[in-house]
Amino acid sequence: MMKKELMKVVSHECIGENIFELTLEGMLVNEMKEPGQFVHLKVSEGSEPLLRRPISIANINKADEQFTVIYRREGLGTRVLSEKILDQYVDVLGPLGNGFPVQGVKPGETALLVGGGIGVPPLYELSKQLVKKGVRVIHVLGFQSSSVVFYEEKFAELGNTYIATVDGSYGQKGFVTDIIKKEEIHFDTLYSCGPTPMLKALESSYHHKNAYISLEERMGCGIGACFACVCRLQDDPNGYSYKKICSDGPVFKVGEVIL
Amino acid sequence: MMKKELMKVVSHECIGENIFELTLEGMLVNEMKEPGQFVHLKVSEGSEPLLRRPISIANINKADEQFTVIYRREGLGTRVLSEKILDQYVDVLGPLGNGFPVQGVKPGETALLVGGGIGVPPLYELSKQLVKKGVRVIHVLGFQSSSVVFYEEKFAELGNTYIATVDGSYGQKGFVTDIIKKEEIHFDTLYSCGPTPMLKALESSYHHKNAYISLEERMGCGIGACFACVCRLQDDPNGYSYKKICSDGPVFKVGEVIL
Amino acid sequence: MNRLHVKLPGLDLKNPIMPASGCFGFGKEYSQVFNLSELGAIMIKATTLEPRFGNPTPRVAETTSGMLNAIGLQNPGLQKVLSEELPWLEQFIVPIIANVAGSQVDDYVEVAKEISKARNVHALELNISCPNVKTGGIAFGTIPEIAADLTKRVKEVSEVPVYVKLSPNVSNIVEMAKAIEHAGADGLTMINTLVGMRLDLRTGKPILANKTGGLSGPAIKPVAIRMIYEVSQAVSIPIIGMGGVQSAEDVLEYFYAGASAVAVGTANFVDPYICPTIINKLPALLDKYGFDHISECQGRSWK
Amino acid sequence: MNRLHVKLPGLDLKNPIMPASGCFGFGKEYSQVFNLSELGAIMIKATTLEPRFGNPTPRVAETTSGMLNAIGLQNPGLQKVLSEELPWLEQFIVPIIANVAGSQVDDYVEVAKEISKARNVHALELNISCPNVKTGGIAFGTIPEIAADLTKRVKEVSEVPVYVKLSPNVSNIVEMAKAIEHAGADGLTMINTLVGMRLDLRTGKPILANKTGGLSGPAIKPVAIRMIYEVSQAVSIPIIGMGGVQSAEDVLEYFYAGASAVAVGTANFVDPYICPTIINKLPALLDKYGFDHISECQGRSWK
Ligand SMILES: Cc1cc2nc3c(=O)[nH]c(=O)nc-3n(C[C@H](O)[C@H](O)[C@H](O)COP(=O)(O)OP(=O)(O)OC[C@H]3O[C@@H](n4cnc5c(N)ncnc54)[C@H](O)[C@@H]3O)c2cc1C
Ligand SMILES: Cc1cc2nc3c(=O)[nH]c(=O)nc-3n(C[C@H](O)[C@H](O)[C@H](O)COP(=O)(O)OP(=O)(O)OC[C@H]3O[C@@H](n4cnc5c(N)ncnc54)[C@H](O)[C@@H]3O)c2cc1C
Ligand SMILES: Cc1cc2nc3c(=O)[nH]c(=O)nc-3n(C[C@H](O)[C@H](O)[C@H](O)COP(=O)(O)O)c2cc1C
Ligand SMILES: Cc1cc2nc3c(=O)[nH]c(=O)nc-3n(C[C@H](O)[C@H](O)[C@H](O)COP(=O)(O)O)c2cc1C
Ligand code: FES
Ligand code: FES
């Protein structure tokens, strides 16, 4: 069930250039289930910024009633968020949306998790849940450059982890799709989150596969009421059918919606 | 010379119901001269609130490059200000305006300082400077009720101090003007700051006296450029003459401007 | 005595607070958050004769203390609203105000005629002011004669009272309001969004795919208050006010200006509990300012 | 090469940043803070034929991310501006844009004729859009024919190029702009303030003594951007843009929208150093987005 709660900052660290890892504590954590769901954060009391900001859940720690998000400082909202200090509170609405189906892969099978930039965070909770289930995980994570690489070791603890950077300053130079081909990675299920061009490239290569992708769109309500975040369906490209990324997604099966 | 400076909070205390005493440190203090001048504070970085807030200088401590203001938490601006903590910074523009003329009274003479509510603060620096000059000071301070009385002892250290409260919960019940009459206070010069009805009452009783009053008005720029804070002159009530409270005032000689 | 009870044409409101059209869908999402029967009324999403997909995305962009939207009246069309959305809402004890939109007069008339027959629709709100659709919408909202004609035509067929939603993007809001009153409207709702735009610093292009969008939120409140102040003195039909309402204090300001009920739009996105929160805070606020009943506040700025 | 140099009718600007009329007086106060020669130009406070005291106080009220003002064109009148204010400004190397206001056409004509002869006045800005004076002002700003006629009359007598300042309180800003261009204006400045109001929660009455006031500040920026975007595509005379500018980024957005120079109003009150600060930050911003010269940004949203 979606809840709204003022959650306490229990840790907040800069883990890369403009990349922050924020852990919040509160009862809302008990509602979190699927990896790939997101929270909608109100970062200030007033109307500056006015709207909430959607951020993916990167790690769920039910024992301590804590969860973690990883975000990039972009504009006003994430800048204000980045100024929160220990013991301050953040207004959280969540968990929202439908995440990655862990049941989409069986124990013993292989799952490939492909993340790009700030799309990497939700894959961490996903990977944890898959490993727990007995699934073999392989991670291919793409970043702009070495300064914004994060969580490499954490992912490596869970499974094979390849890093690509666009400028070659870390890991292999190039895009995640290059690595998948070069390393001849085979998998039963693909899970991905990242920039649309990356998702499009994956879709065109693996549309026949069991693949799930997580989308982004500018949001208003985050709960399905305002129609800000709709996308069209591939089998009705000019019709009236649609999905809402916030409440039907953000994760869709590859081939379902138009990227 | 007016300056703009980010000044450091060196002390911030609640000294009455919704009454705060804030001390700031920085080089701008070196520019402060007359008691009764004010500073124009920007309490947040963004546009919420957008405009600066005028607050009188209550105490100047040149030795430590510190000054103090006392303010009442009213609306958004003073609420945000009240949340500033030690070592944070406040954006100060000042000192602004023309204060109380200390040269309006000679050593050995008696000055009566009459304050109402949140008009009391600038009288403290004034009283200090008068005492230093060898002037005998008498304070008559009016407040709404006991919960918002402040600085009684500090004023008492400088001279005779009478307190009036509207509801009689502290000091004498009634208005400052009642006390002046009842106590048969005699004086050479009158200085006053407080709500307009109080100033009007003083004006009608003491218009023939050497008296100075400090006015308030909603302000834009605070420096004389926007014409938000003009008032008319008593000797040209319907003409084009005017004074700007921010830059010609806030202190005027009684009888000069229309209240 | 219910201190918040307000009676308007067609509407017996247990309190004067309702979500604004387009900011609450057809209620389903918010029903997960609170009991919709707590609301004074619900203004449902604009309904058009045929289904609409609306504009391409991005459809929203934030501005200082406001937001732009260009949803483009996406909705499932009259038939589905009648067969699915409205019946679903019948489980709640709350009057529905159906927001009606179209590209031409006949569309409005057709939708109004059918939707006004629905059991829980107690009033219509003619959306003659949507800035985000290419045809119709805003033209109806800026030319008094056209608005008046539309109002008349809809009044002829509607089985419930008709409120007309005014656009703030006009030179003379009073002239507009009077023309609509004269044409027989039972009430006014105001204001719809101001037309605005935001550009992307990197590309230089508009952030919204539709380029322009409707500005809502606290930024526009002073414009709404001014218009309601002016219009409420010039007409004798009631006004449901909206634009940037975020708190019980804002509701009071709208009543002072001349509104008889208040709708909450953008603030629902910020805080899904905002409507019940405001409703619960209103009695204490009436106490604070010494009112027995909320209707005592109505028009206080000019009365 | 001066990357900020902009040439407009009558105006050779070392940079495209200038304080907006009414937000900088006649420069004296801000000259205590920085050297006015740093500015691209100065738009001085509205000048009328006779001195004006303006409206009663309170004249300003704050709103969410904006402010309302109802100064009422207080100014010392044409003669004093000619004999005192303008000569004082001659010590600075900065072109002056004289904001001209009046209650009737003849007033405008008279002021324009005289003030355009002043040595440092390089252009006029016809204020046909002040919402805060009872007579004139806004009527000129909402009816295209009246605005066009006024423009023509002033053009006949002015010795310098004439810019006309548009009101945003109109149904059709493009129609207005075209009529004014057609009448011979050399440029446009936009936008003036939106008409708004704020009520006092305690009394229920308007905070401003004038009741309504002009809304300025960041709240109105999306409306200004949209209007400049529309007008710049419809006319071929240049636009000086304004409304909520607070940063070099805002200036870029105005250029993208279609402005050729930018004025800063309310932000001067927030930060008296804002104009030189923006000017100093612009070159680095041009670097960041890969422009050699600021004029490359002009109209990028639609070009
Ligand atoms: C489902 C979902 C999950 C996300 N998860 C993460 C995450 O885990 N970590 C992370 O760093 N970012 C994530 N994002 C992107 C994040 O929401 C934006 O970076 C953030 O909203 C930018 O806000 P801002 O105020 O800093 O930037 P601004 O550019 O100032 O934002 C202005 C407006 O644009 C919207 N906006 C801007 N960029 C985006 C974007 N890419 N997607 C959606 N809205 C945007 C903002 O929400 C806001 O309304 C996610 C987005 C979505 C939709
Ligand atoms: C020269 C001068 C000196 C002052 N000195 C003090 C002082 O020492 N201590 C103190 O507590 N207060 C003082 N005030 C009053 C103080 O400025 C206001 O209480 C304060 O601005 C209220 O801001 P707010 O955001 O809390 O309230 P809000 O009501 O939310 O303010 C909204 C707007 O109204 C203006 N405003 C509201 N009330 C006043 C007022 N009484 N005078 C001027 N503007 C107002 C604000 O500046 C702001 O622009 C002084 C005012 C002036 C003009
Ligand atoms: C996302 C969104 C969608 C809207 N859709 C509609 C609509 O379908 N019909 C309508 O009449 N108004 C619509 N509006 C306007 C609102 O009903 C309301 O008039 C406006 O947003 C001002 O109120 P606010 O500032 O509280 O949001 C919409 C507003 C928003 C923000
Ligand atoms: C206090 C104040 C006084 C103003 N006086 C004038 C004026 O005399 N003439 C004029 O054309 N515009 C006047 N304006 C409008 C501004 O020049 C400008 O168009 C408007 O404020 C929008 O810009 P901003 O948001 O940067 O303030 C005034 C604005 C303010 C806030
Ligand atoms: S963000 Fe409102 S429907 Fe998705
Ligand atoms: S506040 Fe601007 S002139 Fe006084």
Side-chain angles (χ1 to χ4, degrees), chain B:
Chain B
M1 253 279 290
M2 150 180 64
K3 290 248 158 71
K4 186 167 97 69
E5 186 180 350
L6 284 176
M7 298 181 77
K8 191 158 124 183
V9 176
V10 293
S11 122
H12 199 175
E13 275 176 58
C14 183
I15 59 169
E17 195 184 336
N18 284 320
I19 308 282
F20 293 81
E21 181 200 51
L22 169 67
T23 301
L24 296 169
E25 185 175 290
M27 302 207 305
L28 192 149
V29 173
N30 297 316
E31 311 295 327
M32 296 181 171
K33 283 187 219 92
E34 276 175 351
Q37 287 186 299
F38 68 98
V39 287
H40 217 22
L41 303 180
K42 176 83 179 122
V43 299
S44 74
E45 264 184 58
S47 59
E48 216 182 354
L50 181 65
L51 298 174
R52 291 176 178 272
R53 297 293 189 262
I55 303 283
S56 303
I57 298 166
N59 190 18
I60 308 174
N61 172 351
K62 291 229 169 163
D64 297 329
E65 285 191 333
Q66 297 181 346
F67 82 101
T68 300
V69 294
I70 296 168
Y71 65 92
R72 181 168 60 211
R73 185 162 57 194
E74 279 273 338
L76 179 62
T78 47
R79 198 183 75 223
V80 173
L81 184 61
S82 73
E83 287 159 8
K84 294 273 173 193
I85 55 174
L86 280 194
D87 296 336
Q88 283 190 324
Y89 288 81
V90 181
D91 178 345
V92 182
L93 181 71
L96 301 176
N98 296 301
F100 293 105
V102 177
Q103 71 280 12
V105 55
K106 297 202 191 70
E109 289 186 345
T110 300
L112 172 60
L113 281 60
V114 181
I118 214 58
V120 168
L123 301 183
Y124 183 64
E125 177 63 28
L126 171 64
S127 184
K128 269 178 39 188
Q129 293 198 19
L130 291 172
V131 167
K132 199 167 161 203
K133 189 179 169 177
V135 174
R136 188 175 152 248
V137 294
I138 302 173
H139 314 106
V140 180
L141 311 176
F143 297 94
Q144 212 55 39
S145 77
S146 64
S147 62
V148 292
V149 174
F150 58 87
Y151 266 40
E152 183 187 7
E153 280 155 41
K154 293 209 171 212
F155 277 103
E157 283 170 22
L158 297 168
N160 241 339
T161 302
Y162 302 89
I163 307 281
T165 53
V166 177
D167 65 0
S169 55
Y170 193 85
Q172 308 189 26
K173 184 178 161 86
F175 296 106
V176 289
T177 38
D178 303 335
I179 295 200
I180 303 173
K181 284 190 188 123
K182 211 181 109 211
E183 303 286 339
E184 295 180 12
I185 298 175
H186 296 280
F187 56 89
D188 300 293
T189 303
L190 172 69
Y191 297 101
S192 182
C193 182
T196 308
M198 185 189 98
L199 299 180
K200 279 191 175 156
L202 290 171
E203 181 180 70
S204 73
S205 301
Y206 307 109
H207 55 272
H208 54 284
K209 284 277 203 174
N210 192 30
Y212 300 91
I213 51 176
S214 181
L215 305 190
E216 282 190 12
E217 186 50 81
R218 287 181 182 251
M219 292 185 173
C221 65
I223 65 172
C226 76
F227 292 84
C229 66
V230 298
C231 53
R232 290 186 179 274
L233 302 191
Q234 295 204 355
D235 60 14
D236 182 22
N238 300 308
Y240 302 121
S241 358
Y242 62 90
K243 291 281 174 184
K244 294 174 191 155
I245 291 177
C246 67
S247 52
D248 299 318
V251 174
F252 295 96
K253 195 150 198 304
V254 107
E256 185 176 5
V257 300
I258 299 179
L259 292 183

Side-chain angles (χ1 to χ4, degrees), chain A residues 53-54 56 70-72 74-78 118 216-218:
Chain A
R53 297 295 189 262
S56 303
I70 297 168
Y71 65 92
R72 182 168 60 212
E74 280 273 336
L76 177 63
T78 47
I118 213 59
E216 283 190 9
E217 187 50 79
R218 287 182 181 250

Side-chain angles (χ1 to χ4, degrees), chain C residues 63-65 68 142 169-172 194-206 211-212 215 218-223 225-227 229-230 246 249-250 252-258 285 289 291 299-303, chain D residues 63-65 68 142 169-172 194-206 211-212 215 218-223 225-227 229-230 246 249-250 252-258 285 289 291 299-303:
Chain C
T63 67
T64 309
S65 297
L68 295 166
T142 52
N169 304 288
V170 296
S171 309
N172 191 332
L194 283 159
V195 186
M197 180 183 269
R198 194 181 141 194
L199 303 175
D200 186 312
L201 282 179
R202 262 171 283 220
T203 64
K205 303 295 175 200
K211 292 174 181 145
T212 61
L215 181 64
I220 69 168
K221 201 183 78 177
V223 176
I225 293 287
R226 184 265 299 183
M227 290 185 163
Y229 172 86
E230 290 176 354
Q246 289 193 305
E249 282 80 4
D250 289 339
L252 211 62
E253 195 176 345
Y254 271 86
F255 268 80
Y256 287 159
L285 197 68
Y289 293 108
F291 299 107
R300 216 178 144 79
S301 60
W302 48 266
K303 268 177 186 169
Chain D
T63 66
T64 309
S65 295
L68 296 166
T142 52
N169 305 290
V170 296
S171 309
N172 190 334
L194 283 159
V195 186
M197 178 182 270
R198 194 181 141 193
L199 303 175
D200 187 312
L201 281 179
R202 261 172 284 220
T203 64
K205 302 295 174 199
K211 291 176 181 144
T212 62
L215 180 64
I220 70 168
K221 200 183 77 175
V223 175
I225 293 287
R226 184 265 299 184
M227 289 186 164
Y229 171 86
E230 289 176 354
Q246 288 193 306
E249 281 80 4
D250 289 339
L252 212 63
E253 195 175 347
Y254 271 85
F255 268 80
Y256 288 158
L285 198 68
Y289 292 108
F291 299 107
R300 216 178 145 78
S301 60
W302 49 266
K303 271 180 184 167

Side-chain angles (χ1 to χ4, degrees), chain A residues 42 44-51, chain B residues 48 76, chain C residues 17 65-66 216-219 221 242-254 262-271 273-275 277-279 281, chain D residues 64-65:
Chain A
K42 176 83 179 124
S44 74
E45 263 184 61
S47 60
E48 217 182 355
L50 181 65
L51 297 175
Chain B
E48 216 182 354
L76 179 62
Chain C
I17 307 303
S65 297
S216 62
K221 201 183 78 177
M242 65 198 78
V245 174
Q246 289 193 305
S247 66
E249 282 80 4
D250 289 339
V251 171
L252 211 62
E253 195 176 345
Y254 271 86
V262 170
V264 180
T266 304
N268 290 291
F269 309 155
V270 179
D271 176 3
Y273 298 86
I274 188 72
C275 287
T277 302
I278 289 177
I279 293 165
K281 284 193 174 165
Chain D
T64 309
S65 295

